[in-house]
Amino acid sequence: MMDLALGQARLALASDDVPVGAVVVSPEGEVLGTGRNRREADGDPTAHAEILSLREAGRALGSWRLDGCTLVVTLEPCTMCAGAIVLVRVRRIVLGAWDEKAGACGSIRDVVRDGRLNHRVEVTGGVRGEECAALLREFFAVRRGPRDVEEQAKPVL
């Protein structure tokens, strides 16, 4: 399923969106929804791969509840997506690269396993993580261009 998520991530490149892809899989292993980042393509700040795949899965099931489903995603979900994942009751997240800047599934936050919430999600991280991270690094390297090492080391005042 990570192959399918990576394929979705690569499709996001065509619209200059950050290459993140996601797939929702039923307990029986059926693909219920796919998504890729479409914020640039749609002009929609909520058009993250995870949100779009959850919406498609809900339509496929005819329900907002995704009990027992697994979300496979190339990058650790942000706080918005993690909240949605908890609310729709996804059972498990399989993620590729950890997001040390905005991740909310165990890196800087752990929304999906917060004991104060009514549902907790099992997390398996680092699945083909280097491949997922490389796709993101390449995307941002092209946009940022070469940076002088000394310039990067200067403190921000």
Side-chain angles (χ1 to χ4, degrees):
M1 289 300 158
M2 189 58 81
D3 274 336
L4 188 52
L6 278 161
Q8 286 292 313
R10 289 183 188 99
L11 289 173
L13 295 169
S15 58
D16 206 31
D17 275 288
V18 177
V20 176
V23 179
V24 177
V25 183
S26 75
E28 297 77 35
E30 177 187 358
V31 174
L32 298 173
T34 61
R36 62 183 173 273
N37 276 0
R38 294 189 49 88
R39 292 186 311 165
E40 297 297 331
D42 296 350
D44 178 353
T46 67
H48 288 205
E50 301 93 328
I51 299 295
L52 298 176
S53 66
L54 294 172
R55 285 179 187 160
E56 192 173 289
R59 283 192 296 272
L61 291 174
S63 174
W64 63 269
R65 291 178 185 263
L66 302 181
D67 294 311
C69 291
T70 297
L71 174 71
V72 179
V73 62
T74 59
L75 180 65
E76 179 184 6
C78 69
T79 303
M80 174 183 72
C81 293
I85 290 162
V86 169
L87 292 173
V88 302
R89 296 176 175 84
V90 164
R91 181 182 65 81
R92 180 176 180 225
I93 298 169
V94 176
L95 65 93
W98 292 99
D99 186 346
E100 298 298 327
K101 292 184 179 179
C105 298
S107 62
I108 64 168
R109 288 181 192 81
D110 202 352
V111 172
V112 298
R113 293 180 284 197
D114 187 325
R116 297 169 291 183
L117 301 176
N118 66 334
H119 179 74
R120 278 160 289 300
V121 182
E122 177 187 336
V123 177
T124 302
V127 175
R128 295 178 63 184
E130 184 49 43
E131 186 177 355
C132 294
L135 185 60
L136 291 159
R137 278 194 304 272
E138 290 167 18
F139 173 81
F140 286 112
V142 168
R143 272 127 199 94
R144 293 179 182 147
R147 291 185 176 178
D148 183 277
V149 173
E150 287 181 39
E151 190 64 31
Q152 285 182 342
K154 287 183 181 176
V156 178
L157 302 175

